[in-house]
Each structure stands twice: as C-alpha cells, then as structure tokens.
Amino acid sequence: MNALSIILVTLLAGLGAGLGTGFAGMSAAAVITPILVTFLKIDPYQAVGIALASDVLASAVSAFTYYKNKNIDIKNGLLMMTFVLIFTLVGSYVSSLVSSNTMGNFSVFMTMLLGIKFIVKPVMTTKEAMLSVSKKKRMIQSIIFGTLIGFICGFVGAGGGMMMLLILTSVLGYELKCAVGTSVFIMTFTALTGSISHFAIAGVPNWYILILCMLFTFIFARIAAKIANKADAKTLNRMTGIILLILGIVVITFNICQF
C-alpha cells in the first residue's frame, strides 16, 4: 500500500477515534483496530497496541480540556484508576494467549447499545446529585468496577472506555460531562500501560502508521472535547449517542469486510 493510502486510512481511523474519545471517553481501539486490520492487514494484537498508544495523547488532551472546565472527579478517579491499571496488565497478557479473532468483538455491540441509550434515555444527573452519593459506597464501587474495567481494557483494548462511561453514569451516578472527563483522565494512564505492555510482548509496530494514528486521533479528540464542554447536557447526550451509534455501525461494517 502506498503512502497516500496509508495517510487516508489513518486519517479515517483518527477521525473516528478522536471524536469518540473527546465526546464519549471511549477507547480509540474500538475504531482504529478494525480499520488497521481490514485495510492495512496489521496483526490484530499490534493494531490494539497502536490504538492504545493513540489513546494516550488523545485522552490526555481531552482530560485537560475537561479539567479546565471543572468536569473531572480526580479524587475518586484515582482510586478506580489504580485497579484499572493493575488489571489492564493482567488483561493484556491474557489477550496475547487468545485467538486474535476474539479480540475487539466484545465492544462493538456495547458501543451501539450505549449510543442508543444516550439518545433514548439521556443522562441528566446534576453535579449536586452526583456529590450526594456516599463516599464509602463510591469507594467500594470504584474498586470492584475498576478491576473489571481494567481487565476488559487490557484484553480487548476497546471495551474499557465504554464500560467506564456506563459505570460512571449508570452505577456511580455521575453527570455526563464529569463522567466523560473522569473516563478520559483514567484512560490516559490505562492506555499508556496497555500500549507499553502490548509493545513489550509483540514488539514495536510500523512507526509511520503509529505516528499518523496518534497525530490524527489527538487533533480530532481536542476538537471534540472543546465542543463537548460547551454543549448543554441534552445536546451532549444526543451528540454522544449519535457518534457511538455511527462508530458501532462502522466497526461492524469493517468486521464484515474482513470476511
């Protein structure tokens, strides 16, 4: 494949991944992995590593934008992040022992269902209601679900961000912007841990593809995060839902193309 084709493919991957990260706090692997596997014929395990590496800068710039707008719960996020990080390593190792066809499929339908949920039943929780939850209850929930999310993130790369957003909004009762902000804050570190683990096990992938994916994902994540922080709750729910639904359909389409 020539250089122009690689640029177009990575641009498409970065566009979808960046918008998903900035708007919904999802992992870039949900979009980047199937695109790289389908069009560039990259090994699925290495593709997840590239996607996680792309997630690092994209999540970091998104988290910074949400932080500037006071939409991150750092204190409770750090506890969850500790367990997410530990079990991301465990999940990453286990995924290296599993058939590559198994990887990534878990998150596809979850992405679509979550998108439909935000459209049909928006998260309208206020920050006041969010802060009224018992600290002890939230701590226990953070540990339990942090463990689950970390394993999923390391195993399939794509499921962690979606699981985190679902848990933060539906179980821990977070307001949507704070949920997304906290999610990308945590994903910055889980993506870093996951990518290092993947590269250590499978080796460093094509640098050209890696850099392009990281650059395009970073640019579109920054744009999406800025727009999301200026939107009202109802509009943000709809935007997030539509993007997740579209990304889910796109990923399914790419998976079908492989066959």
Side-chain angles (χ1 to χ4, degrees):
M1 183 170 284
N2 59 47
L4 179 59
S5 297
I6 292 176
I7 291 174
L8 291 176
V9 170
T10 53
L11 174 61
L12 175 64
L15 171 64
L19 293 180
T21 299
F23 276 117
M26 66 180 287
S27 170
V31 180
I32 292 179
T33 301
I35 290 179
L36 295 185
V37 171
T38 302
F39 294 105
L40 301 184
K41 307 304 178 184
I42 293 178
D43 176 76
Y45 190 76
Q46 285 205 336
V48 171
I50 291 175
L52 288 172
S54 301
D55 234 342
V56 178
L57 287 180
S59 293
V61 72
S62 297
F64 181 69
T65 303
Y66 279 91
Y67 173 76
K68 287 197 301 182
N69 289 274
K70 299 180 179 179
N71 286 319
I72 286 186
D73 182 3
I74 294 179
K75 185 176 180 180
N76 288 296
L78 285 171
L79 178 61
M80 180 180 286
M81 183 179 72
T82 300
F83 287 87
V84 169
L85 286 172
I86 293 172
F87 284 88
T88 293
L89 287 172
V90 176
S92 181
Y93 174 72
V94 173
S95 72
S96 69
L97 307 177
V98 178
S99 170
S100 61
N101 291 327
T102 305
M103 298 169 59
N105 292 330
F106 170 82
S107 67
V108 177
F109 293 104
M110 186 175 177
T111 299
M112 293 183 64
L113 290 176
L114 199 54
I116 294 172
K117 176 200 178 289
F118 283 124
I119 295 173
V120 177
K121 189 178 180 181
V123 177
M124 301 303 290
T125 306
T126 62
K127 286 187 178 180
E128 290 74 21
M130 182 186 82
L131 295 173
S132 66
V133 178
S134 165
K135 291 183 178 180
K136 182 178 180 180
K137 180 180 179 180
R138 178 157 291 165
M139 180 179 71
I140 295 173
Q141 290 175 328
S142 295
I143 293 173
I144 294 174
F145 291 107
T147 299
L148 176 64
I149 292 168
F151 182 82
I152 292 173
C153 180
F155 184 74
V156 301
M162 290 297 90
M163 282 291 291
M164 203 174 305
L165 185 62
L166 179 63
I167 295 302
L168 290 174
T169 54
S170 301
V171 180
L172 274 66
Y174 275 59
E175 178 257 344
L176 183 56
K177 287 184 183 179
C178 193
V180 175
T182 304
S183 176
V184 290
F185 169 69
I186 296 173
M187 285 302 295
T188 301
F189 299 96
T190 58
L192 177 62
T193 304
S195 60
I196 291 174
S197 176
H198 272 66
F199 294 157
I201 294 172
V204 180
N206 185 299
W207 280 103
Y208 183 52
I209 295 174
L210 174 62
I211 292 172
L212 285 176
C213 283
M214 292 178 68
L215 176 63
F216 291 135
T217 306
F218 172 84
I219 292 172
F220 289 107
R222 187 170 185 271
I223 294 172
K226 283 192 171 185
I227 295 174
N229 276 279
K230 293 179 180 178
D232 60 71
K234 194 169 184 180
T235 301
L236 180 59
N237 271 274
R238 287 177 178 172
M239 292 169 66
T240 302
I242 291 171
I243 288 174
L244 290 178
L245 188 57
I246 291 174
L247 290 178
I249 294 172
V250 170
V251 171
I252 288 178
T253 302
F254 285 141
N255 283 338
I256 293 175
C257 287
Q258 293 184 58
F259 300 97

